[in-house]
Amino acid sequence: MQTRRLTEQDLPMLFSWWKAWGWEQMPPDGFLSDDGILVTNGDDCICAGFLYKISNADVAWFTFPVSNPEIRGVERKDGIRLMIDTIVGIAKDLGYKYVYSSLRNSSMIQAQKNCGFIEADNNHTELLKYIWEQD
């Protein structure tokens, strides 16, 4: 397995994965970080995630992880582990002290816990406000 940087050409594939997993709303145009990675195994695209670099804090944000719904079992589990470890490694190499993640998917939550993330003891609601005029 290997990782590579996501490109704009990968986005339709990611949108199809999110749709297959039941996402009702896709990340809006311009919302995804340029720092995304894709895990592959030969010709198989397994999973992807994004790192947001926060410039005024010691924390980077890992979000929008998604996996190919057609890949199952050990291949997907190992791919997700590689994705998480790679994102964390990038953040560490950039000098961040923390990686923050906010999730709803129980499998992805468990995968991140298996990689050393701890669960905050709080309930939260994710909110997004559009601050520009939409067409």
Side-chain angles (χ1 to χ4, degrees):
M1 281 188 196
Q2 55 279 337
T3 63
R4 69 165 173 81
R5 203 174 180 97
L6 281 165
T7 68
E8 194 165 324
Q9 290 76 28
D10 296 317
L11 294 181
M13 175 182 65
L14 299 185
F15 289 136
S16 73
W17 292 355
W18 282 314
K19 186 175 182 179
W21 286 114
W23 284 44
E24 294 179 21
Q25 184 174 348
M26 298 299 118
D29 188 38
F31 197 79
L32 294 172
S33 168
D34 290 338
D35 293 312
I37 64 152
L38 178 69
V39 176
T40 62
N41 190 15
D43 291 336
D44 290 339
C45 294
I46 299 171
C47 59
F50 294 85
L51 182 70
Y52 288 75
K53 297 178 280 191
I54 301 171
S55 64
N56 62 348
D58 287 335
V59 61
W61 181 31
F62 169 42
T63 192
F64 296 117
V66 64
S67 65
N68 181 340
E70 295 178 9
I71 303 292
R72 300 282 187 189
V74 173
E75 185 178 25
R76 180 167 68 190
K77 185 176 181 178
D78 289 349
I80 289 172
R81 174 81 185 212
L82 178 58
M83 172 185 61
I84 295 167
D85 288 344
T86 301
I87 290 282
V88 169
I90 292 168
K92 185 175 181 179
D93 289 347
L94 291 170
Y96 289 97
K97 294 180 181 176
Y98 310 98
V99 176
Y100 171 79
S101 181
S102 177
L103 304 166
R104 286 181 282 215
N105 179 282
S106 60
S107 295
M108 189 62 69
I109 290 169
Q110 188 59 50
Q112 289 189 18
K113 285 180 177 180
N114 292 344
C115 290
F117 281 70
I118 57 171
E119 188 170 2
D121 188 20
N122 60 6
N123 293 320
H124 69 279
T125 300
E126 296 176 332
L127 301 169
L128 175 66
K129 179 173 179 68
Y130 290 86
I131 58 174
W132 81 97
E133 302 247 349
Q134 297 179 16
D135 295 332

